[in-house]
Amino acid sequence: MPKYVIEREIPGAGKLTAEQLHGIAQKSCGVLRSMGPQIQWLHSYVTDDKIYCVYIAPNEESVRKHAEQGGFPANRVSQVRRMIDPTTSE
């Protein structure tokens, strides 16, 4: 199943409290439960003004549907084509 990176522009994201992030995560998980097991949230990276989320989903449309239902921005959705890491150089 394809993997996607979702770029969410959220000004001040890096200043969100643990409680705020907890609430965001709960809302996201609630939407995912209602959508069924075909879409999964793996993890997210929080930077100063953006959150980058990694999802497994059947298509971009389902990623965008999750964002719409949850009220989250999905400014850019990119399908992961390959992964590399330091062992790629060996």
Side-chain angles (χ1 to χ4, degrees):
M1 182 142 354
K3 193 176 286 186
Y4 294 89
V5 176
I6 301 96
E7 181 179 313
R8 305 183 192 281
E9 292 182 20
I10 303 174
K15 294 179 182 176
L16 292 170
T17 65
E19 185 176 289
Q20 290 170 312
L21 291 171
H22 176 78
I24 291 168
Q26 282 189 322
K27 181 161 188 157
S28 179
C29 288
V31 172
L32 290 170
R33 275 192 296 279
S34 73
M35 291 180 71
Q38 73 277 6
I39 180 170
Q40 300 172 33
W41 172 29
L42 298 181
H43 55 269
S44 296
Y45 301 96
V46 180
T47 65
D48 289 338
D49 293 316
K50 293 183 183 179
I51 298 180
Y52 297 90
C53 303
V54 180
Y55 278 68
I56 295 173
N59 51 49
E60 182 178 334
E61 180 183 329
S62 60
V63 171
R64 292 198 179 276
K65 180 178 176 185
H66 168 265
E68 182 181 316
Q69 289 183 5
F72 309 118
N75 302 94
R76 185 172 188 161
V77 177
S78 302
Q79 185 174 344
V80 175
R81 300 296 180 186
R82 292 190 174 174
M83 287 181 57
I84 64 171
D85 63 31
T87 63
T88 306
S89 70
E90 298 172 359

